[in-house]
């Protein structure tokens, strides 16, 4: 493990601080809930508050989805999950970014999502899904392999550059992948179709069919390689 | 204009060669059509062949959509347009790429799409749409402004990095924009929703609504800035 100028003891201390901040924050939130509950007992929220006031277990604390990387892509995912009422916990190794977006109400913590220990602190053992939305693709293949080996059951989703990169990540153990160049191309193409006189529904249909074909071919290809016919 | 080690005369010659190759290629194709027509006169294609055997005018030669940049994004757009039967002409300044994809049947030509003269040679004056799918975003704002000034009526579509970049390009004169990080985030989020138990139609609906909100806010914002209320 490359730790730069940090001594191993310092790294351990940092990991502990991160883990502690993750564990304590929900308690503070629960304390707030408890206070609200005490001051507004006559309202209809009692049932919910009672449920959330229980001692949090690991699954509750860490949420169901871990978002690794809180750049533009990770933030959009978080917004979408929040809007749909799906719990998440996000990690990013940029202090300023974490401070800014925690301030805006996002459930994001400081931590290098490329380190297994940090993912572990974020509750990887209890999470159902780990979503890689890292800005930097270096080491992503390696990381996907590592996570797959340590957590055989977790769903790994990843942002990839293109279809070839998608295939590599699927072979490394990812369950679902998104090619960012493909998605951008499909959206640009869809707009061009609409501006060429196609109605929206038809343009959308052509795009959906094309996307399905490309991703199906990709998943079939990976499946074929991992289970070649006898 | 920075031309590196090329002398202005050489640049002019190159531009001429590019323009000539664009103009002659369709004639060669037409010659093929004419030959097919001559050798298969008894078939039902005569009407179509007769039409296409006319002297091509600029609009026919250059297609309706110009794709500037034939990297992964540009190629996906081209595939989609081809599949939907929409004519295009693509430009890229990478020789190998152009040779490879011309060989695979794409209508792509060598030329630096960042130069107005090249866009002009590709038929910008007659095209209805110019679609920027450049890998490198440097100078894109400048280029959009230039094209808008020279071709006030052309529809400019552009691939942008994020929503802030989208806003800049719209202010510079683009008509439609796609944020690649937003699109990747929405797709990753949609998959996460489906894996969290949402059915596909509902997940798709949540994503479509979120996308519409974000882009509407963006276009409203640009409109507001360009036409502030009195």
């Amino acid at each position: 493990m490359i730790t730069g100028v940090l001594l191993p003891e310092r790294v351990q201390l940092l990991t502990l601080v991160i883990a502690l901040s993750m564990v304590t924050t929900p308690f503070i939130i629960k304390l707030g809930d408890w206070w609200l509950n005490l001051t507004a007992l006559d309202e209809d929220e009692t049932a919910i508050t009672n449920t959330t006031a229980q001692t949090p277990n690991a699954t509750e604390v860490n949420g169901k989805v871990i978002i690794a990387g809180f750049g533009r892509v990770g933030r959009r995912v978080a917004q979408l999950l929040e809007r749909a009422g799906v719990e998440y916990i996000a990690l990013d190794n940029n202090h300023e970014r974490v401070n800014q977006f925690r301030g805006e109400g996002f459930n994001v913590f400081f931590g290098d999502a490329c380190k297994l220990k940090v993912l572990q602190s974020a509750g990887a053992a209890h999470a159902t899904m780990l979503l890689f939305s890292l800005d930097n693709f270096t080491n992503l293949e390696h990381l996907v392999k590592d996570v797959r080996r340590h957590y055989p059951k977790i769903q790994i989703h990843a942002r990839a550059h293109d279809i070839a990169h998608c295939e590599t990540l699927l072979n490394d153990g990812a369950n679902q992948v998104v090619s960012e160049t493909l998605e951008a191309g499909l959206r640009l193409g869809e707009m061009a179709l609409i501006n060429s006189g196609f109605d929206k529904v038809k343009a959308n249909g052509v795009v959906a069919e094309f996307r399905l074909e490309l991703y199906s071919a990709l998943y079939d290809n990976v499946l074929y390689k991992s289970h070649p016919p006898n």
Side-chain angles (χ1 to χ4, degrees), chain A residues 103-157:
Chain A
E104 293 184 14
F106 287 101
N107 193 33
V108 57
F109 292 88
F110 176 75
D112 185 352
C114 293
K115 294 197 165 43
L116 266 183
K117 268 195 179 172
V118 174
L119 292 176
Q120 199 178 338
S121 303
H126 307 281
T128 51
M129 212 182 300
L130 173 58
L131 208 148
F132 285 110
S133 50
L134 302 167
D135 293 337
N136 188 339
F137 290 135
T138 329
N139 290 327
L140 181 56
E141 289 98 3
H142 192 74
L143 190 59
V144 167
K145 272 187 194 164
D146 256 18
V147 171
R148 175 52 65 232
R149 208 169 38 235
H150 280 79
Y151 305 104
K153 287 184 181 168
I154 204 167
Q155 282 270 329
I156 303 176
H157 292 205

Side-chain angles (χ1 to χ4, degrees), chain A residues 43-57:
Chain A
E43 293 193 9
D44 265 336
E45 308 162 42
T46 333
I48 300 165
T49 327
N50 275 347
T51 315
T52 56
Q54 286 166 1
T55 315
N57 62 36

Side-chain angles (χ1 to χ4, degrees), chain A residues 187-220:
Chain A
R187 277 295 293 172
L188 271 173
E190 188 175 355
M191 290 204 273
L193 290 186
I194 293 168
N195 268 283
S196 300
F198 278 71
D199 73 57
K200 280 191 185 183
V201 178
K202 196 171 175 195
N204 198 274
V206 175
V207 170
E209 197 187 275
F210 189 36
R211 177 188 280 120
L212 190 68
E213 269 181 41
L214 289 166
Y215 281 110
S216 300
L218 169 70
Y219 288 98
D220 286 353

Side-chain angles (χ1 to χ4, degrees), chain A residues 22 26 57-67 86-90 107 109 121-130 154:
Chain A
M22 284 176 179
N57 62 36
T59 320
E60 271 180 35
V61 171
N62 299 315
K64 287 174 124 185
V65 181
I66 300 174
I67 301 176
V86 174
E87 274 181 86
Y88 72 89
I89 180 173
N107 193 33
F109 292 88
S121 303
H126 307 281
T128 51
M129 212 182 300
L130 173 58
I154 204 167

Side-chain angles (χ1 to χ4, degrees), chain A residues 158-176:
Chain A
R159 162 197 189 184
H161 182 59
D162 56 18
I163 286 284
H165 190 205
C166 281
E167 192 171 334
T168 308
L169 294 175
L170 287 172
N171 284 322
D172 288 340
N175 300 87
Q176 301 234 12

